[in-house]
Amino acid sequence: MQRSKIKPETMEKKIIATTSLAGCFGCHMSFLDIDEKILNLIELVEFDKSPINDIKKFNRMVDIGLIEGGCCNDENVHVLKDFRANCKILVSVGECAIMGGLPAMRNGIPLKECLEEAYLKGPSVIGSNHDNIMPNDEELPIILNKVYPCHEIVKIDYYLPGCPPTAELIWEALYALVTGNKMNLPYEVVKFD
Ligand code: SF4
């Protein structure tokens, strides 16, 4: 059960930013699943760069950055480094950010083999890609040799486990970070089963 929180009277709103790298947006969905707590949230924070408000660039130094997804291409790395440079606290949210998650299942297979399976030899493409074309437009991000968890690219301050982390876990952790209160994370909030 999610608990309501009250904004300390003298507290200024904190600024938060969010992004989805190699993720599925499920962690963002879980964040929004705090339901009516969203009203408490907007008393506590303002959003800067985030897909939630569609702000594309940082406009100021941000207090807390929430990262969904790991890094599977050079654009992910660029965005993650941009978040590290513009956020005082950086949080890896969910298994993809923490360990690479489902996208990292390709890490045990050579990249060339993955691309051939996806574009040339896989059951869904075999016989249809007559010119054996691999996507190579210069505007496409460059795929990395493997999917990296965020902490292998930049320093991460906190980790919120789960796929996705529960809405209550995200809420409890965010409230503690925003107000400076101790985190209240009982087993029911962080359990995986
Ligand atoms: S941790 Fe799970 S919910 Fe979050 S981005 Fe990865 S696959 Fe999606």
Side-chain angles (χ1 to χ4, degrees):
M1 187 184 73
Q2 296 174 21
R3 290 175 287 279
S4 293
K5 304 289 189 188
I6 298 167
K7 180 186 170 194
E9 276 183 13
T10 54
M11 198 193 95
E12 282 187 14
K13 283 189 179 182
K14 299 285 187 193
I15 313 300
I16 67 174
T18 77
T19 191
S20 180
L21 305 176
C24 73
F25 270 94
C27 291
H28 273 80
M29 290 299 110
S30 189
F31 182 19
L32 296 178
D33 209 24
I34 61 176
D35 297 328
E36 77 279 0
K37 306 292 180 304
I38 204 96
L39 298 175
N40 296 98
L41 184 69
I42 57 177
E43 288 293 313
L44 293 168
V45 304
E46 268 178 52
F47 282 85
D48 198 83
K49 175 180 163 72
S50 171
I52 291 171
N53 54 14
D54 209 25
I55 293 179
K56 311 277 191 209
K57 291 185 176 170
F58 285 103
N59 295 290
R60 52 197 151 171
M61 194 65 188
V62 163
D63 294 298
I64 300 161
L66 304 176
I67 309 293
E68 169 191 295
C71 292
C72 74
N73 60 43
D74 65 342
E75 185 188 12
N76 295 153
V77 172
H78 171 77
V79 171
L80 182 56
K81 288 182 174 174
D82 195 31
F83 264 71
R84 181 68 277 179
N86 286 281
C87 300
K88 295 176 194 164
I89 293 172
L90 213 50
V91 185
S92 274
V93 182
E95 295 311 318
C96 293
I98 295 171
M99 301 193 306
L102 276 178
M105 287 181 74
R106 77 164 164 92
N107 285 0
I109 304 167
L111 179 58
K112 184 169 177 287
E113 239 177 87
C114 290
L115 291 170
E116 285 177 352
E117 180 73 8
Y119 295 105
L120 304 179
K121 298 178 181 170
S124 61
V125 290
I126 195 158
S128 59
N129 187 354
H130 302 294
D131 296 323
N132 290 340
I133 295 171
M134 294 270 194
N136 61 359
D137 192 287
E138 62 184 22
E139 294 212 354
L140 288 174
I142 296 170
I143 193 164
L144 302 178
N145 63 331
K146 67 170 204 166
V147 178
Y148 292 83
C150 294
H151 68 272
E152 289 189 14
I153 306 291
V154 299
K155 177 177 178 284
I156 296 293
D157 302 296
Y158 294 95
Y159 301 81
L160 300 182
C163 179
T166 62
E168 189 174 6
L169 172 57
I170 297 172
W171 170 243
E172 293 286 350
L174 195 54
Y175 181 80
L177 289 173
V178 162
T179 60
N181 282 359
K182 193 165 177 277
M183 283 194 195
N184 176 27
L185 301 176
Y187 174 75
E188 313 81 77
V189 174
V190 288
K191 69 180 177 134
F192 297 94
D193 51 351

